Amino acid sequence: MQPTTVCNLNCSYCYLPDRRLIRRMSPSVSHAVASSIANVPRPVRILWHGGEPLACGVEWMRGLLQPFGPGFASGRVTFGVQTNATLIDDDWCELFNTFRFDVGVSIDGPAAHNAARRNWAGREAFPDVMRGIERLKANGIPFGVIAVVNRNNIHQPEEWYSFFCELGCSSLNVNIEEREGLNKNAAGLPDEAVASFWRRLFAVWRERPVLRVREFDRMLAWLSAGPNAEIRGPRDVWPTVSFDGDVIILAPELAGADASTRRQFVVGNVLERALGEIVADASTTAYVADFWAGVGDCREQCAYFSYCGGGHASNKFFELGSTRGTETEYCRHSYKLVVDNVIESLSGQTEPQLIGGRT
Amino acid sequence: MKGRTKEQLNEQIDAIQPAVRDLLASLAPEVRPRLVHAFGSADANGKDTGKADWDNSFTDTFHNWSDKNAPDAIYASLGWNPAQRDAEGKR
């Protein structure tokens, strides 16, 4: 759920065109979502993201959470938030503790590595991020990290990893900078640099495995299943509810496309229909059907399918012009080159591997 | 495009199983991978764009909602047999 479109930062790689627009989710939208899931007999996790979700204000967020009260009280509804941490204060921490939020912080490494994350005046966000993290720690709130690997940090994985080991985070999630949305025309990162990054990061993590690194966690779980391990379940459809109640599935990035592009991805609005009905009927929508067809092509064509499961709709759309496509830069950087370099490293190879890279 | 065949990849995976086991055994419990073959973790650490791992619960919720409508072909294309889920109680 996206409580606001606005972000107080202006990161250089951001894909969101509307991040200067101050639009907040109406309580009627969260009421509609809460009603939609009220009778779902399974746990539901709601991840608040944006924009910068905390930019909606703590009292506004409290109002958005109110309709989920019964579900939260019963333990069936849980919450997470992905934040740039610059707005975290003790009031937010009190809310996080009250509603037992799982908190994810976006930070790209030490100050020099974090240089792409700046406010609208161009000032580096790092001091404010660290101040927010200190408030989390002071209030006993565990947090994970999502870090974007970009040209500022890709060549120093050892220093980068060491920073996160000392930061006090519970997990590290590595996102290689992607070309999509407003950032779709960026120069991108060379496959060679990405391969080297994964190779060196895996080496330094093996030397000091004190953090759960999402990519290695996933990779080792997959490898431990042995040859012919296959994805067993369908991909998550990622229902995203935007500030105005519009629902987009498959990739939240599609909700951040410019207005004219975004229209084709909206499969309904929670103010008009129940979320479950919208999601259930969405499989016949053109871009969704295209995506599943493309996943089928991936399955047929790609040796790495059993690890990645068919890629992501937003990368296919922004890189290839259609959700029907197959291989993307994202596939190579975030899946194939991880596979190559972890497997080759465990095989005793010492050089970065580009087997799944671009020729 | 360069690349491996599925057979080559499987051969390599087979060959490194001892190294994988050794590595897993060396890890502290708090960083040891959850040894389930699922594409999602229990973290809330989806990246800002939400592309990262979520709890699997929402996936389950979706399928609970949509089982009656979703074309079997979608699941079949992903190698998932709905009957398997029923047998396991959860995918």
Side-chain angles (χ1 to χ4, degrees), chain B residues 29-86:
Chain B
E30 59 269 23
V31 295
R32 193 171 297 151
R34 302 168 181 90
L35 294 178
V36 289
H37 187 59
F39 290 80
S41 77
D43 295 338
N45 293 316
K47 67 173 192 178
D48 309 80
T49 61
K51 189 167 294 173
D53 301 334
W54 282 22
D55 187 300
N56 286 324
S57 58
F58 212 105
T59 309
D60 292 336
T61 301
F62 162 64
H63 290 296
N64 183 58
W65 282 336
S66 63
D67 275 352
K68 69 181 190 305
N69 293 323
D72 287 346
I74 290 176
Y75 299 122
S77 73
L78 291 162
W80 179 56
N81 174 5
Q84 180 184 11
R85 184 207 57 179
D86 295 338

Side-chain angles (χ1 to χ4, degrees), chain A residues 311-331:
Chain A
H312 287 281
S314 58
N315 301 100
K316 292 183 176 188
F317 178 78
F318 288 115
E319 288 190 38
L320 308 174
S322 166
T323 55
R324 173 68 198 259
T326 54
E327 191 199 62
T328 61
E329 181 178 86
Y330 171 78
C331 293

Side-chain angles (χ1 to χ4, degrees), chain A residues 138-161:
Chain A
N139 284 278
I141 299 171
F143 63 97
V145 157
I146 288 180
V148 175
V149 175
N150 58 79
R151 60 190 170 84
N152 295 313
N153 54 19
I154 194 167
H155 298 299
Q156 296 94 26
E158 294 84 7
E159 179 186 351
W160 187 78
Y161 178 70

Side-chain angles (χ1 to χ4, degrees), chain A residues 199 202-203 205-206 216 219-224 338-351 353, chain B residues 4 12-24 26:
Chain A
R199 183 49 169 253
F202 188 59
W205 178 77
R206 287 179 76 183
F216 301 150
M219 169 68 60
L220 292 171
W222 174 69
L223 289 175
S224 69
V338 190
V339 170
D340 290 346
N341 284 281
V342 169
I343 287 181
E344 297 296 336
S345 177
L346 291 171
S347 302
Q349 296 287 332
T350 56
E351 295 300 317
Q353 299 295 307
Chain B
R4 326 166 187 252
Q12 283 194 291
I13 292 172
D14 194 33
I16 63 169
Q17 285 303 304
V20 173
R21 281 194 294 271
D22 287 349
L23 176 55
L24 292 174
S26 73

Side-chain angles (χ1 to χ4, degrees), chain A residues 103-126:
Chain A
V103 177
V105 170
S106 302
I107 178 173
D108 294 348
H113 293 191
N114 197 62
R117 303 185 66 81
R118 294 170 181 267
N119 68 15
W120 288 98
R123 190 166 62 85
E124 291 192 9
F126 185 79

